Amino acid sequence: MTALVRYLLADVLRTQRWLPPLLLHVAVLGLLYSSDAGPPLPAYAGTCVLVYPVSVWLTVVVATAEDPVRRAVTVVTAGGWARAQAAVTALSVLGALGLALVAALAPVVTQSRPYPLGTVAQGFAALAVCALVGVGVGVLCCRPLVDQVGWSLLASAALVVLVLLFGRTPPVGNVLWSLSHQDGVTVALALSGALAALLVVGATWLGTVVGPRRG
């Protein structure tokens, strides 16, 4: 599996399509923390709103790095759709958690307000939840579930907006609400973290079921 993830990473880096989401991530973080961002937990809520769609975008980039012919070769080489789909999810999760880590540490080095270790840990956990939701949404919106890249982008954008419109509904809404109001953060993170993990696992499993039928 490690070799498969490394191969996929090399393919993703070669396409350079990872640059736009990464640059957007860095640019918006720079804007958010260019001045006083306010209390730490509400500030992290703002970066959660950023990390979620960027993680979706990055997952789409990973999942569509190979054209259909190369993906078919990778599936055969990997020994089946399950391993190939798991590699896509694993690399997407690593990339999304990397975005979450950068977003969690950015205010520590740019803000004059104190950011205690416990607060940073809560912020990273919230960001990680939103990042995992982004991976799950991205996997649902890409091959083999959605064949065309254009439709993948449209479906991803629609789900990003839809999730953000659900208010306090978990897994994203209640994390944003709890951070913004600095209330019930631990409970919200536990519930939403479990749901985010289930979303990622379920989306990956669905891809392994649909993949052979379309392959």
Side-chain angles (χ1 to χ4, degrees), residues 21-22 25 29 51 54-55 58 94-104 127 131:
L22 180 62
H25 186 65
L29 282 179
V51 165
V54 174
S55 297
L58 185 63
L94 290 174
L97 291 180
L99 296 176
L101 181 61
V102 171
L127 289 159

Side-chain angles (χ1 to χ4, degrees), residues 50-135:
L50 167 68
V51 165
Y52 168 50
V54 174
S55 297
V56 175
W57 190 357
L58 185 63
T59 302
V60 172
V61 169
V62 172
T64 59
E66 297 178 301
D67 59 49
V69 174
R70 294 184 65 186
R71 170 55 65 88
V73 173
T74 300
V75 168
V76 173
T77 305
W81 268 98
R83 288 177 60 82
Q85 188 68 37
V88 169
T89 299
L91 182 56
S92 299
V93 167
L94 290 174
L97 291 180
L99 296 176
L101 181 61
V102 171
L105 296 179
V108 177
V109 298
T110 60
Q111 297 292 290
S112 58
R113 293 173 181 264
Y115 273 71
L117 181 60
T119 300
V120 175
Q122 283 187 321
F124 174 71
L127 289 159
V129 168
C130 294
L132 289 177
V133 175
V135 172

Side-chain angles (χ1 to χ4, degrees), residues 6-59:
R6 289 173 60 187
Y7 161 75
L8 185 58
L9 173 61
D11 211 38
V12 171
L13 293 176
R14 177 188 56 79
T15 67
Q16 297 188 349
R17 287 192 291 156
W18 52 272
L19 277 172
L22 180 62
L23 292 176
L24 175 65
H25 186 65
V26 173
V28 175
L29 282 179
L31 290 174
L32 288 174
Y33 293 121
S34 60
S35 58
D36 183 14
L41 289 181
Y44 278 131
T47 49
C48 283
V49 176
L50 167 68
V51 165
Y52 168 50
V54 174
S55 297
V56 175
W57 190 357
L58 185 63
T59 302

